[in-house]
Amino acid sequence: MGPARARLVRNSLGSLAVLGVVALIAFGLPLLDHSLPAGRPVAADVPYRVGGMVTVVPPAGAALDVTGTRPDDDRGTALFVVDGVRVVLVVGPYHGTLDDAVARLRSKITKTSGFQVTPDRATRTDQGVAGRRGTYVSPGRIGEYAVFVAKDVSVEITASGPEHQLRGLLPRLAHSLRTVTFGGGP
Amino acid sequence: MTRADRVPTGPAPQGPALQGPALRRLGYPSMRLGYPPKQAGAGAGRSYLKRPAFWMLLVLLAVGGWRVGEILRRSIESYPVGTAVSVVLFALYAIPFVLLLRMIDYLEREPLPLQATAFAWGGLVATSAAISGSTALQNILAKLASPGFATRWGPAVAGAGVEEILKVLGVVAIALVARAQVNGVVDGFVYGALIGLGFQVVENVVFAVNAVALDGGTDQVGPVVVTFLLRGFLGGLWSHTLFSALAGAGVAYALVRRDKSPGIRFAVAAALFGAAWGFHFLWNSPLLEGGFGHSTAGLMAALLIKGIPALIVGVTLIVAAERRESSYYAAMLAGLADPRVATPEEITALVSLRQRIRARRRARLRLGRGGARAVRRLQRAQARLAVALSRDPGAEVSRRQREVLVRRHQLLALGIAAAGTPVRRSAALAAAAVVVAETLVVALLVLGIGLAIRALGGGT
């Protein structure tokens, strides 16, 4: 093999190695991620710490999806999956009013193409924290949302999935919303 | 004794012998540098078209560009003002880094297309691959350990691991495409820094737009400014640019220091990559995240403790690498023994950033702005001549030598015109004002960032 050909071979091998590592990271890691189960069972009727000193009792039969769950001291997210419906809680520091928080969540929802929100209504947790709750729709899917604000913390809850499954979940979801607790628990 | 005086006196203790005609002509028959000078026109022409690495690079840049373009397109659709402001702010933010790298890469500048390629690798290839890779790795951590562990340590483990590998691959790719342009540790440092800068800019734009989205979905500029302050300045000095520069220097060391055993070259490259990874890991880790006492000063102290070591290692490394490289080029000029081309004092000043600037400031005091400009042009011409001498194409050396003489005459003409005049008072006042202004800017910057932390609720 002449030197020019040897250089070409070395260059080809080096290029393939670079390409391989980039592909491994960009596509291999996501494949590995998807091959591992994300669901974890959660104990029934036991408050789950979402983060920011906020807890919630997940809807009965829910499993925790760890890929969408990131608890932290002053904020956090939790993703529960129940009967094909995704229930997402987002907790974070917040210094505004409940109306502003509702407007913020509605704005986020409508930014997602195709979703429309319906007028909201008042709701309340068992702890006595006032909140607002509403519905949003897109072709083939519907969703429920709720917002609570207390102790400089906001909790945004969205549940979305196929219409039939979500309607069946509504009673359990309503029960779960009432269990949202600020300040680490009752 | 000047550095220039020290260098050419006999062979340096290590490295393969360089026996180019230029060195022989200059009286350095066997100078050992550890790496060969760049060849004239190296990497030029279209020889790179025959290299598989070029096409690999092109494909990866196209795919990365498409993916980042898609992200930006969606951002612009949802938050046009926030996206535009963040792109402008972080583009402006990159300018001082580019200028600093140009100062570091003063003597033998890397070709602009390769500099742009390095920046694009960081901003397009590394960023787009890291977005999916890092997210996946953090998910894997959440699945194998716990969501809490992934929250606290995910950015450190995934951020440092995935991102540093992707960025250092950019230096490897550039070496595969244009090996002749990576012929010193400084080159690897510069390419690595540019890759890190590209990554930093695009990542920060993505973070800024995310901050807008999280802030309520309305197209606000406030979250962009806060992101700019926090990510751009608080962590900007010891972020991707510095980490990748360290790793890039390691790759270059492994490639060019043929005078060292493969084991040592590999060990140094691994150590520098380890340093880049380690500093990145430390910066992203939750260690000291609460600062000391939760005050603004306490938070600042914690951030400095996490960031300063990387800065010290980076500065030490580049100073040592530059000293080695500049000694080589100083020997080129000193070998001419022609004070019309470069006096020993000028050579000493040329190879030191601090002294280069000092020489310009001195000229500014004596001759005004025109004097500073004339000295800068002379220095630039001398640097080009030194590089031409190392490459040894006769016509190029003659051309560069003429350029130096022209610049010399321009400077002399200014000096004659100003002969006998005292130090310009206005220039001295302007120089003092610059120092005061610089101090004020730094003080305001630190104060503003501290207030930004407090505003975010970080220091109650």
Side-chain angles (χ1 to χ4, degrees), chain A residues 54-132:
Chain A
V54 169
T55 63
V56 66
V57 175
L64 180 74
D65 185 326
V66 295
T67 63
T69 302
R70 294 289 183 271
D72 210 345
D73 293 340
D74 64 340
R75 64 189 67 234
T77 59
L79 168 59
F80 298 103
V81 180
V82 50
D83 298 341
V85 175
R86 292 162 59 88
V87 181
V88 180
L89 288 90
V90 178
V91 175
Y94 187 71
H95 304 291
T97 64
L98 177 61
D99 284 345
D100 290 342
V102 172
R104 185 176 72 167
L105 180 58
R106 288 167 64 96
S107 172
K108 282 184 199 173
I109 292 169
T110 51
K111 281 280 180 188
T112 309
S113 181
F115 282 95
Q116 290 180 321
V117 285
T118 60
D120 54 74
R121 59 194 184 278
T123 186
R124 189 172 289 275
T125 70
D126 291 342
Q127 197 184 22
V129 175
R132 301 267 278 280

Coordinates of all heavy atoms in Angstrom, one line a residue, chain A residues 54-132:
Chain A
V54 N -44.1 20.9 47.5 CA -45.5 20.6 47.0 C -45.7 19.1 46.9 O -44.8 18.5 46.3 CB -45.8 21.3 45.7 CG1 -47.1 20.8 45.1 CG2 -45.9 22.8 45.9
T55 N -46.8 18.6 47.4 CA -47.1 17.2 47.3 C -48.4 17.0 46.6 O -49.2 17.9 46.6 CB -47.1 16.4 48.6 OG1 -48.1 17.0 49.4 CG2 -45.8 16.6 49.4
V56 N -48.6 15.8 46.0 CA -49.9 15.5 45.4 C -50.1 14.0 45.5 O -49.2 13.2 45.5 CB -50.0 16.0 43.9 CG1 -49.0 15.2 43.1 CG2 -51.4 15.8 43.4
V57 N -51.4 13.6 45.7 CA -51.7 12.2 45.6 C -52.1 11.9 44.2 O -53.0 12.4 43.7 CB -52.8 11.8 46.6 CG1 -53.2 10.4 46.4 CG2 -52.4 12.1 48.0
P58 N -51.3 11.1 43.5 CA -51.6 10.8 42.1 C -52.9 10.1 41.9 O -53.4 9.5 42.8 CB -50.4 9.9 41.6 CG -49.4 9.9 42.7 CD -50.1 10.3 44.0
P59 N -53.5 10.3 40.7 CA -54.8 9.5 40.5 C -54.6 8.0 40.6 O -53.5 7.5 40.4 CB -55.1 9.9 39.0 CG -54.3 11.1 38.7 CD -53.1 11.0 39.6
A60 N -55.6 7.4 41.1 CA -55.5 5.9 41.4 C -55.1 5.2 40.1 O -55.6 5.5 39.0 CB -56.8 5.4 41.9
G61 N -54.2 4.3 40.2 CA -53.7 3.5 39.0 C -52.6 4.2 38.2 O -52.2 3.7 37.2
A62 N -52.2 5.3 38.7 CA -51.1 6.1 37.9 C -49.8 5.4 38.1 O -49.5 4.9 39.1 CB -51.1 7.5 38.4
A63 N -48.9 5.6 37.1 CA -47.5 5.2 37.2 C -46.7 6.5 37.0 O -47.1 7.4 36.2 CB -47.2 4.2 36.1
L64 N -45.6 6.5 37.7 CA -44.7 7.7 37.5 C -43.8 7.5 36.3 O -43.1 6.5 36.2 CB -43.9 7.9 38.8 CG -42.9 9.1 38.8 CD1 -43.7 10.4 39.0 CD2 -41.9 8.9 39.9
D65 N -43.8 8.5 35.4 CA -42.8 8.4 34.3 C -41.6 9.2 34.7 O -41.6 10.4 34.8 CB -43.4 9.0 33.0 CG -42.5 8.8 31.8 OD1 -41.3 8.9 32.0 OD2 -43.1 8.7 30.7
V66 N -40.5 8.5 35.0 CA -39.3 9.2 35.5 C -38.6 10.1 34.5 O -37.8 11.0 34.9 CB -38.3 8.1 36.1 CG1 -38.8 7.4 37.2 CG2 -37.8 7.2 35.0
T67 N -38.9 9.9 33.2 CA -38.3 10.8 32.2 C -38.8 12.2 32.3 O -38.2 13.1 31.8 CB -38.4 10.2 30.8 OG1 -39.8 10.2 30.5 CG2 -37.8 8.9 30.6
G68 N -40.0 12.3 32.8 CA -40.6 13.7 32.9 C -40.7 14.2 34.3 O -41.5 15.1 34.6
T69 N -40.0 13.5 35.2 CA -40.0 13.9 36.6 C -38.7 14.4 37.1 O -37.7 13.7 37.0 CB -40.5 12.6 37.4 OG1 -41.7 12.2 36.9 CG2 -40.6 12.9 38.9
R70 N -38.7 15.6 37.6 CA -37.4 16.2 38.1 C -37.7 17.0 39.4 O -38.0 18.2 39.3 CB -36.8 17.1 37.0 CG -36.3 16.4 35.8 CD -35.1 15.5 36.0 NE -34.6 14.9 34.8 CZ -35.0 13.7 34.4 NH1 -35.9 13.0 35.0 NH2 -34.5 13.2 33.2
P71 N -37.6 16.3 40.5 CA -37.9 17.0 41.8 C -36.7 17.8 42.2 O -35.6 17.4 42.1 CB -38.2 15.9 42.8 CG -37.4 14.7 42.2 CD -37.3 14.9 40.7
D72 N -36.9 19.0 42.7 CA -35.8 19.8 43.3 C -36.3 20.6 44.5 O -37.5 20.6 44.8 CB -35.3 20.8 42.2 CG -33.9 21.1 42.3 OD1 -33.3 20.8 43.4 OD2 -33.2 21.7 41.4
D73 N -35.4 21.3 45.1 CA -35.8 22.0 46.4 C -36.8 23.1 46.2 O -37.8 23.2 47.0 CB -34.5 22.6 47.1 CG -33.6 21.5 47.5 OD1 -34.1 20.3 47.7 OD2 -32.4 21.7 47.7
D74 N -36.6 23.9 45.2 CA -37.5 25.1 45.0 C -38.4 24.9 43.8 O -39.2 25.9 43.5 CB -36.7 26.3 44.9 CG -35.8 26.3 43.7 OD1 -35.5 25.3 43.1 OD2 -35.4 27.4 43.2
R75 N -38.3 23.9 43.1 CA -39.2 23.7 41.9 C -39.2 22.2 41.6 O -38.5 21.4 42.2 CB -38.7 24.4 40.7 CG -37.3 24.0 40.3 CD -36.7 24.9 39.2 NE -36.4 26.2 39.8 CZ -36.8 27.4 39.3 NH1 -37.6 27.4 38.2 NH2 -36.5 28.5 39.9
G76 N -40.0 21.8 40.6 CA -40.0 20.4 40.2 C -41.1 20.1 39.2 O -42.0 20.9 39.0
T77 N -40.9 19.0 38.5 CA -42.0 18.5 37.6 C -42.2 17.0 37.9 O -41.3 16.3 38.4 CB -41.5 18.6 36.1 OG1 -40.4 17.9 35.9 CG2 -41.3 20.1 35.7
A78 N -43.4 16.6 37.7 CA -43.8 15.2 37.8 C -44.7 14.8 36.7 O -45.5 15.6 36.3 CB -44.5 15.0 39.2
L79 N -44.5 13.6 36.1 CA -45.3 13.2 35.0 C -45.9 11.8 35.5 O -45.1 10.9 35.8 CB -44.4 13.0 33.8 CG -45.0 12.2 32.6 CD1 -46.3 12.9 32.1 CD2 -44.1 12.2 31.4
F80 N -47.2 11.8 35.5 CA -47.9 10.5 35.8 C -48.6 10.1 34.5 O -49.1 10.9 33.8 CB -48.9 10.7 36.9 CG -48.3 11.1 38.2 CD1 -48.3 12.5 38.6 CD2 -47.6 10.2 39.0 CE1 -47.8 12.9 39.8 CE2 -47.0 10.6 40.2 CZ -47.1 12.0 40.6
V81 N -48.6 8.8 34.3 CA -49.4 8.2 33.2 C -50.4 7.3 33.8 O -50.1 6.4 34.5 CB -48.4 7.5 32.2 CG1 -49.2 6.9 31.1 CG2 -47.3 8.4 31.7
V82 N -51.7 7.5 33.4 CA -52.8 6.7 33.8 C -53.8 6.5 32.7 O -54.3 7.5 32.2 CB -53.4 7.3 35.1 CG1 -53.8 8.7 34.9 CG2 -54.6 6.5 35.6
D83 N -54.0 5.2 32.4 CA -54.9 4.9 31.3 C -54.7 5.6 30.0 O -55.6 6.1 29.3 CB -56.4 5.1 31.8 CG -56.8 4.3 33.0 OD1 -56.1 3.3 33.2 OD2 -57.7 4.7 33.7
G84 N -53.4 5.8 29.7 CA -53.0 6.5 28.4 C -53.1 8.0 28.5 O -52.9 8.7 27.5
V85 N -53.4 8.5 29.7 CA -53.5 10.0 29.9 C -52.2 10.4 30.6 O -51.8 9.8 31.6 CB -54.7 10.4 30.7 CG1 -54.7 11.9 31.0 CG2 -56.0 10.0 29.9
R86 N -51.7 11.5 30.1 CA -50.4 12.1 30.8 C -50.8 13.2 31.7 O -51.5 14.2 31.2 CB -49.5 12.6 29.7 CG -48.8 11.5 28.8 CD -48.2 12.0 27.6 NE -47.2 13.0 27.8 CZ -45.9 12.7 28.0 NH1 -45.5 11.4 28.0 NH2 -45.1 13.6 28.3
V87 N -50.5 13.1 32.9 CA -50.8 14.1 33.9 C -49.4 14.8 34.3 O -48.6 14.1 34.9 CB -51.5 13.6 35.1 CG1 -51.8 14.7 36.1 CG2 -52.8 12.8 34.7
V88 N -49.3 16.1 34.0 CA -48.0 16.7 34.3 C -48.2 17.8 35.3 O -49.2 18.6 35.2 CB -47.5 17.4 33.0 CG1 -46.1 18.1 33.3 CG2 -47.3 16.4 31.9
L89 N -47.4 17.8 36.3 CA -47.4 18.9 37.4 C -46.1 19.7 37.3 O -45.0 19.1 37.2 CB -47.5 18.3 38.8 CG -48.9 17.7 39.2 CD1 -48.9 16.3 38.8 CD2 -49.1 18.0 40.6
V90 N -46.2 21.0 37.2 CA -45.0 21.8 37.2 C -45.1 22.8 38.3 O -46.0 23.6 38.5 CB -44.9 22.6 35.9 CG1 -43.7 23.5 35.9 CG2 -44.9 21.7 34.7
V91 N -44.1 22.7 39.2 CA -44.0 23.6 40.4 C -42.9 24.5 40.3 O -41.8 24.1 39.9 CB -43.9 22.7 41.7 CG1 -43.7 23.6 42.9 CG2 -45.0 21.8 41.8
G92 N -43.1 25.8 40.6 CA -41.9 26.7 40.6 C -42.2 27.9 41.4 O -43.4 28.2 41.7
P93 N -41.2 28.7 41.7 CA -41.3 29.9 42.4 C -42.2 30.9 41.6 O -42.1 31.0 40.4 CB -39.9 30.5 42.6 CG -39.0 29.4 42.3 CD -39.8 28.5 41.4
Y94 N -43.1 31.6 42.3 CA -44.0 32.5 41.6 C -44.5 33.6 42.6 O -44.9 33.3 43.7 CB -45.2 31.7 41.1 CG -46.1 32.6 40.2 CD1 -45.7 32.9 39.0 CD2 -47.4 33.0 40.7 CE1 -46.5 33.7 38.1 CE2 -48.2 33.7 39.9 CZ -47.8 34.1 38.6 OH -48.6 34.9 37.8
H95 N -44.4 34.8 42.1 CA -44.7 36.0 43.0 C -45.9 36.8 42.5 O -46.2 37.8 43.0 CB -43.5 36.9 43.1 CG -42.3 36.2 43.6 ND1 -42.2 35.7 44.9 CD2 -41.1 35.9 43.0 CE1 -41.0 35.1 45.0 NE2 -40.3 35.2 43.9
G96 N -46.6 36.2 41.5 CA -47.8 37.0 40.9 C -49.1 36.5 41.5 O -49.2 35.8 42.5
T97 N -50.2 36.9 40.8 CA -51.5 36.5 41.3 C -52.0 35.3 40.6 O -51.4 34.8 39.6 CB -52.5 37.7 40.9 OG1 -52.6 37.8 39.5 CG2 -52.1 39.0 41.5
L98 N -53.1 34.7 41.1 CA -53.6 33.5 40.5 C -54.1 33.8 39.1 O -53.9 33.0 38.2 CB -54.8 33.0 41.4 CG -55.5 31.8 40.8 CD1 -54.6 30.6 40.7 CD2 -56.7 31.4 41.7
D99 N -54.7 35.0 38.9 CA -55.2 35.3 37.5 C -54.0 35.3 36.5 O -54.1 34.8 35.4 CB -55.8 36.7 37.5 CG -57.2 36.6 38.1 OD1 -57.8 35.5 38.3 OD2 -57.8 37.7 38.5
D100 N -52.9 35.9 37.0 CA -51.7 36.0 36.1 C -51.2 34.6 35.8 O -50.8 34.3 34.7 CB -50.6 36.8 36.7 CG -51.0 38.3 36.8 OD1 -51.9 38.7 36.0 OD2 -50.4 39.0 37.6
A101 N -51.2 33.7 36.8 CA -50.7 32.4 36.7 C -51.6 31.6 35.7 O -51.1 30.8 34.9 CB -50.6 31.7 38.0
V102 N -52.9 31.8 35.8 CA -53.8 31.1 34.9 C -53.6 31.6 33.4 O -53.5 30.8 32.5 CB -55.3 31.4 35.3 CG1 -56.2 30.9 34.2 CG2 -55.6 30.8 36.6
A103 N -53.4 32.9 33.3 CA -53.2 33.5 32.0 C -51.9 32.9 31.4 O -51.8 32.6 30.2 CB -53.1 35.0 32.1
R104 N -50.9 32.8 32.2 CA -49.6 32.3 31.8 C -49.8 30.8 31.3 O -49.3 30.5 30.2 CB -48.6 32.3 32.9 CG -47.2 31.9 32.6 CD -46.2 32.0 33.7 NE -46.4 31.0 34.7 CZ -45.6 30.7 35.7 NH1 -44.5 31.5 35.8 NH2 -45.8 29.8 36.6
L105 N -50.5 30.0 32.0 CA -50.6 28.6 31.6 C -51.5 28.5 30.3 O -51.2 27.8 29.4 CB -51.3 27.8 32.7 CG -51.5 26.3 32.4 CD1 -50.2 25.6 32.0 CD2 -52.1 25.5 33.5
R106 N -52.5 29.3 30.3 CA -53.4 29.3 29.1 C -52.6 29.7 27.8 O -52.7 29.2 26.7 CB -54.6 30.2 29.3 CG -55.6 29.7 30.2 CD -56.6 30.7 30.6 NE -57.4 31.2 29.6 CZ -58.6 30.8 29.3 NH1 -59.2 29.8 30.0 NH2 -59.3 31.3 28.2
S107 N -51.7 30.7 28.1 CA -50.8 31.2 27.0 C -49.9 30.1 26.5 O -49.7 29.8 25.3 CB -50.0 32.4 27.4 OG -49.1 32.7 26.5
K108 N -49.3 29.3 27.5 CA -48.4 28.2 27.1 C -49.2 27.2 26.3 O -48.7 26.6 25.3 CB -47.9 27.6 28.4 CG -46.8 28.3 29.0 CD -46.3 27.4 30.2 CE -45.5 28.3 31.2 NZ -45.1 27.5 32.4
I109 N -50.4 26.9 26.7 CA -51.2 25.8 26.0 C -51.6 26.3 24.6 O -51.4 25.5 23.7 CB -52.5 25.5 26.8 CG1 -52.1 24.8 28.2 CG2 -53.4 24.6 26.0 CD1 -53.3 24.7 29.2
T110 N -52.0 27.5 24.5 CA -52.4 27.9 23.1 C -51.2 28.1 22.2 O -51.4 28.1 21.0 CB -53.2 29.2 23.2 OG1 -52.4 30.2 23.9 CG2 -54.5 29.0 23.8
K111 N -50.0 28.3 22.8 CA -48.8 28.3 21.9 C -48.6 27.0 21.2 O -48.0 27.0 20.1 CB -47.6 28.6 22.8 CG -47.4 30.1 23.2 CD -46.9 30.9 22.0 CE -46.7 32.4 22.5 NZ -46.4 33.2 21.3
T112 N -49.1 25.9 21.8 CA -49.0 24.6 21.1 C -50.0 24.6 20.0 O -51.2 24.7 20.2 CB -49.2 23.5 22.1 OG1 -48.4 23.7 23.2 CG2 -49.0 22.2 21.5
S113 N -49.5 24.5 18.8 CA -50.4 24.6 17.6 C -51.6 23.7 17.7 O -51.6 22.5 18.0 CB -49.6 24.2 16.4 OG -50.4 24.4 15.3
G114 N -52.8 24.3 17.5 CA -54.0 23.5 17.4 C -54.8 23.5 18.7 O -56.0 23.0 18.6
F115 N -54.2 23.9 19.8 CA -55.0 23.8 21.1 C -55.8 25.0 21.3 O -55.3 26.1 21.1 CB -54.0 23.5 22.2 CG -53.5 22.1 22.3 CD1 -52.3 21.7 21.7 CD2 -54.3 21.2 23.0 CE1 -51.9 20.4 21.8 CE2 -53.9 19.8 23.0 CZ -52.7 19.5 22.5
Q116 N -57.0 24.8 21.8 CA -57.8 26.0 22.2 C -58.3 25.8 23.7 O -58.6 24.6 24.0 CB -59.0 26.1 21.3 CG -58.6 26.5 19.9 CD -59.8 26.7 19.0 OE1 -60.7 25.8 19.1 NE2 -59.8 27.7 18.2
V117 N -58.3 26.8 24.4 CA -58.7 26.7 25.8 C -60.1 27.2 26.0 O -60.6 28.1 25.3 CB -57.8 27.5 26.8 CG1 -56.5 26.8 27.0 CG2 -57.6 28.9 26.3
T118 N -60.8 26.6 26.9 CA -62.2 27.0 27.2 C -62.2 27.8 28.5 O -61.2 27.8 29.2 CB -63.1 25.8 27.4 OG1 -62.6 25.0 28.5 CG2 -63.2 24.9 26.2
P119 N -63.2 28.6 28.8 CA -63.3 29.4 30.0 C -63.0 28.5 31.2 O -63.5 27.4 31.3 CB -64.7 30.0 30.0 CG -65.1 30.0 28.6 CD -64.4 28.8 27.9
D120 N -62.3 29.1 32.2 CA -62.0 28.3 33.4 C -63.0 28.5 34.5 O -63.9 29.4 34.4 CB -60.6 28.6 33.9 CG -60.4 30.1 34.1 OD1 -60.9 30.6 35.1 OD2 -59.7 30.7 33.2
R121 N -62.9 27.7 35.6 CA -63.8 27.8 36.7 C -63.0 27.7 38.0 O -61.9 27.2 38.0 CB -64.9 26.8 36.6 CG -64.4 25.4 36.6 CD -65.5 24.4 36.2 NE -65.0 23.0 36.2 CZ -64.3 22.4 35.3 NH1 -63.9 23.1 34.2 NH2 -64.0 21.1 35.4
A122 N -63.6 28.1 39.1 CA -62.9 28.1 40.4 C -62.9 26.6 40.9 O -63.7 25.8 40.7 CB -63.6 29.0 41.4
T123 N -61.8 26.4 41.6 CA -61.6 25.1 42.3 C -60.9 25.3 43.6 O -60.4 26.5 43.8 CB -60.9 24.0 41.4 OG1 -60.9 22.8 42.1 CG2 -59.5 24.5 41.1
R124 N -60.7 24.4 44.4 CA -60.0 24.5 45.7 C -59.4 23.2 46.1 O -60.0 22.1 45.9 CB -61.1 25.0 46.7 CG -60.5 25.5 48.1 CD -61.6 26.1 48.9 NE -62.0 27.4 48.4 CZ -61.4 28.6 48.7 NH1 -60.3 28.6 49.4 NH2 -61.8 29.7 48.2
T125 N -58.3 23.3 46.8 CA -57.7 22.1 47.3 C -58.2 21.8 48.7 O -58.8 22.6 49.3 CB -56.2 22.2 47.4 OG1 -55.9 23.1 48.4 CG2 -55.6 22.7 46.1
D126 N -58.0 20.5 49.2 CA -58.4 20.2 50.5 C -57.7 21.1 51.6 O -58.2 21.2 52.7 CB -58.1 18.7 50.8 CG -58.9 17.8 50.0 OD1 -60.0 18.3 49.5 OD2 -58.6 16.6 49.8
Q127 N -56.5 21.6 51.2 CA -55.8 22.5 52.1 C -56.4 23.9 52.1 O -56.0 24.7 53.0 CB -54.3 22.6 51.6 CG -53.3 23.1 52.6 CD -51.9 23.3 52.0 OE1 -51.8 23.4 50.8 NE2 -50.9 23.3 52.8
G128 N -57.4 24.2 51.2 CA -58.0 25.4 51.2 C -57.4 26.4 50.2 O -57.8 27.6 50.2
V129 N -56.5 26.0 49.4 CA -55.9 26.9 48.4 C -56.8 27.0 47.2 O -57.2 26.0 46.6 CB -54.5 26.4 48.0 CG1 -53.9 27.2 46.9 CG2 -53.6 26.3 49.2
A130 N -57.1 28.3 46.9 CA -58.0 28.5 45.7 C -57.2 28.3 44.4 O -56.0 28.6 44.3 CB -58.6 29.9 45.8
G131 N -57.9 27.8 43.4 CA -57.3 27.6 42.1 C -58.3 27.8 41.0 O -59.5 28.1 41.3
R132 N -57.9 27.5 39.8 CA -58.8 27.6 38.6 C -58.5 26.4 37.8 O -57.4 25.9 37.7 CB -58.5 28.9 37.9 CG -58.7 30.2 38.7 CD -60.1 30.7 38.6 NE -60.1 31.5 37.4 CZ -59.7 32.8 37.3 NH1 -59.1 33.3 38.3 NH2 -59.8 33.4 36.2

